[in-house]
């Protein structure tokens, strides 16, 4: 595995950002995005009801004491694999007729470091980025500290991204 040194390879790594590939060129009214808010709230309710945002369930997973979270994550991975396969197989387009582009991925050691940091943060706080909002929605206001930390971490990553191994 070779570390990327040239600016061209850095641009190649940036091209793998999902926002660069599937960002819609269509313009919509402000209320167009309300449906995403509704779906997000429904997804948050599902996460809470499935106890995926429960700190004790997450700790059980990291201590290898329960299959609950592994079952949920495994189901999500299989669903994702099947979904991507179906999108590629049938050349699925968005509801507006725009093509769905899935960038090819290359493995690099930065993914290992990033995964370890992500897992450490997940184990320490009991939250990954998606469930943060559901946890706050349940009234766990202390999770706001985790959310702010995630925002700062994302900002710092953007600041030092070019210096990291990709």
């Amino acid at each position: 595995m070779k570390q990327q040194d040239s600016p061209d390879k850095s641009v190649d790594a940036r091209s793998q950002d999902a926002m660069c590939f599937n960002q819609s060129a269509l313009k919509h009214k402000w209320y167009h995005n309300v449906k995403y808010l509704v779906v997000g709230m429904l997804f948050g309710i599902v996460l809470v009801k499935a106890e995926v945002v429960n700190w004790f369930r997450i700790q059980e997973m990291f201590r290898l004491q329960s299959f609950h979270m592994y079952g949920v994550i495994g189901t999500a991975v299989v669903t994702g694999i099947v979904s991507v396969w179906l999108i590629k197989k049938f050349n699925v387009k968005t509801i507006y007729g725009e093509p769905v582009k899935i960038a090819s991925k290359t493995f690099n050691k930065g993914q290992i470091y990033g995964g370890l940091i992500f897992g450490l943060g997940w184990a320490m706080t009991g939250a990954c980025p998606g469930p943060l909002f559901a946890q706050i929605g349940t009234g766990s206001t202390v999770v706001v500290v985790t959310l702010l930390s995630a925002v700062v971490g994302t900002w710092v990553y953007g600041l030092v991204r070019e210096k990291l191994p990709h």
Side-chain angles (χ1 to χ4, degrees), residues 50-52 56-79 119 122-123:
E51 296 187 20
V52 175
F56 295 104
R57 288 285 187 191
I58 294 168
Q59 290 302 308
E60 286 176 344
M61 174 185 71
F62 281 109
R63 293 179 181 183
L64 305 174
Q65 295 174 334
S66 172
F67 180 77
H68 181 84
M69 289 295 291
Y70 294 111
V72 171
I73 292 170
T75 301
V77 168
V78 170
T79 302
W122 191 11

Side-chain angles (χ1 to χ4, degrees):
M1 183 176 347
K2 185 178 177 185
Q3 186 176 0
Q4 297 180 350
D5 298 320
S6 74
D8 292 330
K9 290 183 179 178
S10 176
V11 171
D12 184 49
R14 284 183 173 272
S15 71
Q16 294 178 7
D17 293 342
M19 290 299 290
C20 295
F21 277 83
N22 289 313
Q23 196 167 26
S24 176
L26 300 175
K27 300 292 179 199
H28 300 282
K29 302 247 182 210
W30 67 270
Y31 54 82
H32 176 79
N33 292 331
V34 171
K35 63 186 171 197
Y36 301 114
L37 176 66
V38 171
V39 171
M41 291 173 66
L42 291 173
F43 185 63
I45 291 170
V46 169
L47 292 177
V48 170
K49 292 294 183 185
E51 296 187 20
V52 175
V53 299
N54 184 314
W55 186 86
F56 295 104
R57 288 285 187 191
I58 294 168
Q59 290 302 308
E60 286 176 344
M61 174 185 71
F62 281 109
R63 293 179 181 183
L64 305 174
Q65 295 174 334
S66 172
F67 180 77
H68 181 84
M69 289 295 291
Y70 294 111
V72 171
I73 292 170
T75 301
V77 168
V78 170
T79 302
I81 290 170
V82 171
S83 298
V84 169
W85 180 79
L86 288 172
I87 288 170
K88 288 181 176 180
K89 175 86 174 167
F90 296 106
N91 197 22
V92 174
K93 298 185 184 301
T94 67
I95 59 174
Y96 301 108
E98 294 177 305
V100 176
K101 298 174 189 169
I102 299 173
S104 61
K105 303 288 183 189
T106 55
F107 181 78
N108 62 62
K109 65 182 178 185
Q111 294 165 333
I112 299 292
Y113 301 138
L116 288 172
I117 293 170
F118 179 85
L120 179 65
W122 191 11
M124 287 173 41
T125 63
C128 64
L132 281 175
F133 297 100
Q135 288 176 326
I136 294 170
T138 63
S140 299
T141 54
V142 70
V143 179
V144 171
V145 174
T146 307
L147 175 63
L148 292 174
S149 300
V151 170
V152 169
T154 303
W155 181 79
V156 169
Y157 172 73
L159 195 64
V160 299
R161 178 183 176 142
E162 297 301 323
K163 297 173 183 156
L164 297 174
H166 285 110

